[in-house]
Amino acid sequence: MLADLQQRVRVDPTDGEAHAMLAQLYGYQNQLGPALQAYEKAIGLLPPNARLLADYAEVVALSNDTDFSGRPTALLRQALAVDPDDPKANALMGAALMRAGQPAEALPHLEKILALVDPASDQGRQIATVVADLRARAGLAPAPAAAEAPAAPPATAAAPPGAAPLLQGLITLDGAPAPEGASLFVLARPAQGPRMPYAARRIPVPAFPFAFELGPGDLMSPQRPFDPELPVVVEARISLSGQAMRQPGDRFGTSEAVRAGAEGIRLVIDQVVQ
């Protein structure tokens, strides 16, 4: 994938999405210098995107001994101006303000994160403890207990820890059979923002309909698991060349937005890459 993306930006230096995916991939490989360059190009070419700006802020801070002052904080403010509820931007801004000695300013960002996590989880309890301490120091009353959320429908429920597969469903093919020697790629990517997959699997073209699973072993990076709070799209693509990147003539189909742990996903391969 790295080689494909490098070739893609060489062919078209104005491909902002490819620069964004390349930046994320460099970041996972801890190549911070190339990641910074790719992020800078991506944000100059793409419409403002909160998650992309937050990812960029994180890499800038990591390249400076995790110091979020200055440029990273400015990028996080840009991200929150685009989407005030983006989980990563709020989490990083809360941490940055805490580190800068501004707990009162950090509080609303941490409260937003607390509202998104399971209060019974280790993460939820840790954030709740910090939030309670900050509210007490600011002379504020304890936050009211969150109302119990209604149960999510099975198709979008988050998988319990350790559960596998992460995503499961059925792929059907519309039209002529796939040619011999082609490959089927099944991937899950964010529903919004850069299309860098969370998970992917390559399979010799099977008989259709085909029941698929994407499990922990299909994650692109262990450091980038599915975020259960963010919707994903599953894509199935028949690659005539066997390459991971889309090529003209490939046939594909995408799902509706779902969340980690979804079952019963239905995809129809009925479109052609132009």
Side-chain angles (χ1 to χ4, degrees):
M1 179 171 285
L2 178 61
D4 287 344
L5 287 169
Q6 289 170 332
Q7 175 63 17
R8 185 168 157 184
V9 297
R10 278 195 294 267
V11 171
D12 183 5
T14 65
D15 188 338
E17 185 176 278
H19 282 295
M21 294 169 66
L22 192 57
Q24 290 178 324
L25 194 55
Y26 280 136
Y28 303 147
Q29 297 179 341
N30 204 34
Q31 298 187 53
L32 299 183
L36 289 172
Q37 295 177 12
Y39 273 121
E40 189 64 32
K41 291 178 180 177
I43 65 170
L45 292 166
L46 294 173
N49 180 280
R51 180 51 58 92
L52 183 63
L53 288 162
D55 288 343
Y56 184 24
E58 183 178 41
V59 172
V60 174
L62 288 172
S63 68
N64 194 28
D65 296 326
T66 66
D67 182 0
F68 275 87
S69 62
R71 176 69 166 156
T73 298
L75 288 167
L76 291 174
R77 295 195 189 282
Q78 291 180 41
L80 291 168
V82 175
D83 182 0
D85 297 321
D86 182 77
K88 183 167 186 175
N90 275 288
L92 292 178
M93 181 62 87
L97 292 171
M98 286 281 291
R99 188 171 295 185
Q102 299 176 278
E105 290 80 358
L107 181 59
H109 299 289
L110 296 177
E111 287 181 326
K112 283 191 177 182
I113 298 302
L114 183 60
L116 295 174
V117 301
D118 179 359
S121 67
D122 289 341
Q123 182 186 31
R125 287 192 292 267
Q126 291 171 1
I127 297 174
T129 299
V130 174
V131 166
D133 178 63
L134 291 179
R135 291 185 70 88
R137 287 161 58 185
L140 300 174
E148 184 176 350
T156 59
L166 295 172
L167 296 163
Q168 188 179 62
L170 189 71
I171 303 168
T172 56
L173 175 63
D174 186 30
E180 187 176 345
S183 297
L184 174 67
F185 284 89
V186 183
L187 59 89
R189 57 175 171 78
Q192 298 179 339
R195 299 162 60 96
M196 182 70 181
Y198 287 112
R201 178 178 291 189
R202 177 181 177 177
I203 308 156
V205 168
F208 292 97
F210 174 69
F212 76 89
E213 295 180 353
L214 288 175
D218 300 310
L219 291 172
M220 301 293 291
S221 168
Q223 286 72 46
R224 191 185 181 236
F226 283 89
D227 184 336
E229 301 300 330
L230 295 180
V232 299
V233 168
V234 181
E235 178 177 314
R237 179 172 54 84
I238 295 174
S239 171
L240 303 179
S241 65
Q243 296 185 28
M245 300 300 294
R246 284 187 175 197
Q247 302 290 325
D250 288 353
R251 298 158 66 187
F252 72 99
T254 56
S255 73
E256 299 292 329
V258 297
R259 296 185 188 274
E263 299 179 359
I265 302 168
R266 294 291 184 267
L267 293 93
V268 180
I269 298 177
D270 58 358
Q271 302 175 67
V272 179
V273 178
Q274 302 299 320

